[in-house]
Amino acid sequence: MTEQRADAYKGYREPLVSLMARFGITVWCKVDVDTTRGEFSGLVLPRSETADAHHLVLKLDSGYNVGLRHDTIRAMTKTGFREAIYKVPEEAFPRDDRLPEVILLGTGGTIASRLDYRTGAVIPAFSPGELYGSVPELADLCNLQTEKLFGEFSENVGPLHYRALAERIGQAIEQGFAGVVIGHGTDTMHHTAAALSFMVQRPPIPIVMVGSQRSSDRPSSDAARNLIHATFAAAHGDIAEVMVCMFGPTSDRYNLLHRGTRVRKMHSSYRSTFRTLGDIPLAMVEDGAIQSLQTCASRRDDRTVQIRPEFEERVTILYYYPNMNPDILEAVVDRGYRGVVIAGTGLGHVNRKVYPALERARSAGVQVYMTLQTLWGFVQMNVYETGREILGLGVIPLANMLPEVAYIKLGWALGQHPNDPAAVAALMQTPLAGEITEREPHDGYLVFQGRTPEIDEFLGRIWS
Ligand code: ASP
């Protein structure tokens, strides 16, 4: 193959090269493809070098990619040509002395990603400077300093990253920034949000985590809107808490600000994936305005903050399932874990079979806490006999703390008091950042997921 030919069929091999040549199709052609599975229209993407030789890859107008097997293709018609350039230029951020100073800390995830056509994978490729290059509206909101702390997909983010983030936030507060934005993968953003809610105590400024469900090379990407709203909340908002800022409804009508300890990723692909559980969101962000929905800690002029990043990593979370055997919990105790959070059924239950292991955990000094799989509502272990028995085995109920938040808080609490179980237990049961609330709003469970009348009624009340 000549070099030019190789480029025209980038990554494709036989039999696809011949097939493409027969219909006059090259990479970056817009095509209508007639296959035995139906008609497809899209852009022919370069093929990953490591992928098989049998599929033509099309980027559909919906933004999704589809692989069409060569022996299903009956005909192809070229309808256009569009070479995509995905390199976003790094640009210096313009300065306006009248605008607040904000720092954007990059950690990776889809918000910092683009598709790599060589491997076909989504890779963390945008530096924060490139992010700005693709969202110039940010310059109207603030003077933005960007810093790439790491480039990880969020499944790889853990205590070391929590610590680095907490310490950098502490410095940013001392440096006088008006707000901090943290770009993060969405998958475990609620874990990091919980960790920062405990590690960064009483921040005087907004700390806004943001991600995106769809990378910025896709037409339906939420990256830019989320970044604009998050930066607005950090620069101009009055809420001095650790928050997550993501799409409210599936449309881009407004974003929601969620409290870092009450938020959870709830949908694998919707852009409106983050929901506040056990409460209602803190605020809505829309067109340069923040509509408060409930009482929050307010921005302060002082620069005082306490950074407490210590974290005990030997903690775990056990998701109870019917017929669970005690050996699971025994193994955890034997491996030297210091604390366990159970996500129990109903009001906070596990089966009788597990009781001896709970007893063993107690005698080994391993603290065991109870949370709920239902996610909404409170642990109430005094209602059924089972609950009372489990309480009797030393399991400590955690009210309406979300299981993941309890896991993070337990690691953090053990980090604060490595040798004082009573202090850990007291800390775990004391609300520090909204992780336990006195009650849940009676309609919070329905709002934003119930029928339209409930939403209208709720919003009518908020707006009246
Ligand atoms: N897997 C990605 C992550 O969490 C998904 C995302 O960013 O939305 O890093």
Side-chain angles (χ1 to χ4, degrees):
M1 244 191 260
T2 63
E3 209 172 289
Q4 197 190 354
R5 214 172 121 78
D7 204 48
Y9 299 110
K10 207 177 247 158
Y12 288 98
R13 286 168 280 155
E14 292 300 346
L16 268 162
V17 170
S18 299
L19 188 71
M20 289 164 80
R22 177 141 63 90
F23 292 103
I25 303 298
T26 60
V27 161
W28 304 125
C29 278
K30 289 174 130 179
V31 285
D32 292 336
V33 187
D34 175 30
T35 77
T36 53
R37 290 165 48 212
E39 304 268 337
F40 295 88
S41 296
L43 186 69
V44 179
L45 294 182
R47 190 71 171 127
S48 124
E49 283 162 9
T50 50
D52 73 45
H54 306 297
H55 291 84
L56 180 81
V57 182
L58 281 195
K59 185 166 204 63
L60 304 177
D61 295 338
S62 63
Y64 282 99
N65 294 348
V66 67
L68 303 176
R69 219 188 128 83
H70 67 91
D71 48 9
T72 65
I73 296 175
R74 288 196 287 235
M76 294 192 272
T77 314
K78 177 173 167 178
T79 58
F81 185 86
R82 181 168 62 89
E83 181 152 11
I85 298 164
Y86 287 105
K87 179 82 188 126
V88 177
E90 212 41 80
E91 280 182 46
F93 207 93
R95 264 204 74 80
D96 178 342
D97 288 338
R98 290 161 305 181
L99 291 176
E101 307 289 325
V102 170
I103 186 162
L104 165 60
L105 303 175
T107 71
T110 299
I111 191 153
S113 301
R114 67 175 172 83
L115 200 62
D116 180 352
Y117 289 110
R118 201 177 46 76
T119 60
V122 173
I123 52 165
F126 285 147
S127 70
E130 287 173 315
L131 264 183
Y132 160 63
S134 60
V135 193
E137 296 94 322
L138 296 174
D140 299 333
L141 303 178
C142 63
N143 294 313
L144 192 72
Q145 184 176 314
T146 60
E147 198 170 300
K148 182 173 171 178
L149 283 191
F150 5 93
E152 297 284 3
F153 284 121
S154 69
E155 57 272 25
N156 299 317
V157 172
L160 284 178
H161 306 90
Y162 305 155
R163 171 187 279 268
L165 269 168
E167 284 171 349
R168 187 63 191 90
I169 291 168
Q171 288 164 3
I173 291 169
E174 272 173 30
Q175 286 172 298
F177 282 100
V180 179
V181 177
I182 301 165
H184 197 284
T186 57
D187 294 352
T188 71
M189 183 146 58
H190 49 294
H191 290 84
T192 306
L196 295 180
S197 302
F198 300 122
M199 290 179 171
V200 180
Q201 303 223 327
R202 290 199 72 239
I205 58 171
I207 297 161
V208 191
M209 300 197 68
V210 65
S212 74
Q213 280 283 78
R214 310 213 181 134
S215 55
S216 44
D217 52 73
R218 290 176 57 174
S220 59
S221 174
D222 49 341
R225 295 283 303 184
N226 286 342
L227 198 58
I228 291 168
H229 286 314
T231 306
F232 181 78
H236 301 281
D238 187 44
I239 308 176
E241 298 197 21
V242 175
M243 297 167 271
V244 166
C245 179
M246 293 286 288
F247 264 42
T250 38
S251 76
D252 57 7
R253 230 191 85 207
Y254 57 86
N255 271 44
L256 288 169
L257 290 174
H258 303 274
R259 182 165 274 145
T261 55
R262 294 243 64 100
V263 64
R264 194 170 190 280
K265 184 171 181 176
M266 296 299 284
H267 198 284
S268 60
S269 58
Y270 282 8
R271 295 174 299 183
S272 54
T273 174
F274 281 90
R275 305 281 90 181
T276 288
L277 301 190
D279 210 340
I280 59 169
L282 299 181
M284 296 159 77
V285 194
E286 191 182 3
D287 293 337
I290 296 182
Q291 169 87 47
S292 167
L293 299 176
Q294 61 159 307
T295 329
C296 308
S298 295
R299 187 190 275 285
R300 308 189 308 273
D301 286 334
D302 67 71
R303 290 282 136 189
T304 55
V305 64
Q306 244 195 322
I307 305 298
R308 297 173 66 178
E310 299 75 21
F311 193 95
E312 167 58 67
E313 292 189 30
R314 287 169 301 163
V315 290
T316 190
I317 184 163
L318 285 186
Y319 195 91
Y320 174 76
Y321 46 86
N323 200 34
M324 183 184 261
N325 281 310
D327 55 358
I328 297 288
L329 182 54
E330 281 161 9
V332 165
V333 173
D334 292 346
R335 299 297 300 218
Y337 277 72
R338 304 280 322 278
V340 179
V341 170
I342 296 178
T345 58
L347 297 170
H349 303 146
V350 293
N351 62 2
R352 238 174 271 118
K353 271 205 220 177
V354 173
Y355 290 4
L358 292 174
E359 187 64 68
R360 179 139 154 216
R362 177 161 63 177
S363 46
V366 180
Q367 297 201 346
V368 182
Y369 291 88
M370 183 63 76
T371 61
L372 300 182
Q373 293 178 7
T374 58
L375 302 177
W376 283 82
F378 288 76
V379 179
Q380 292 179 55
M381 296 173 75
N382 280 313
V383 177
Y384 291 98
E385 193 189 344
T386 314
R388 289 198 205 101
E389 286 166 358
I390 298 169
L391 275 179
L393 291 163
V395 175
I396 303 171
L398 286 182
N400 68 339
M401 204 186 302
L402 294 168
E404 294 90 352
V405 174
Y407 158 73
I408 292 285
K409 189 175 180 188
L410 183 53
W412 176 79
L414 280 162
Q416 309 310 303
H417 302 289
N419 302 311
D420 188 346
V424 172
L427 200 51
M428 284 303 287
Q429 294 169 94
T430 309
L432 300 178
E435 72 279 20
I436 293 175
T437 60
E438 222 166 282
R439 68 184 76 83
E440 296 187 351
H442 75 277
D443 50 3
Y445 171 64
L446 290 169
V447 169
F448 295 119
Q449 40 203 319
R451 299 189 326 266
T452 313
E454 273 110 0
I455 297 178
D456 288 347
E457 194 227 298
F458 170 77
L459 291 179
R461 238 183 309 129
I462 295 280
W463 282 329
S464 66

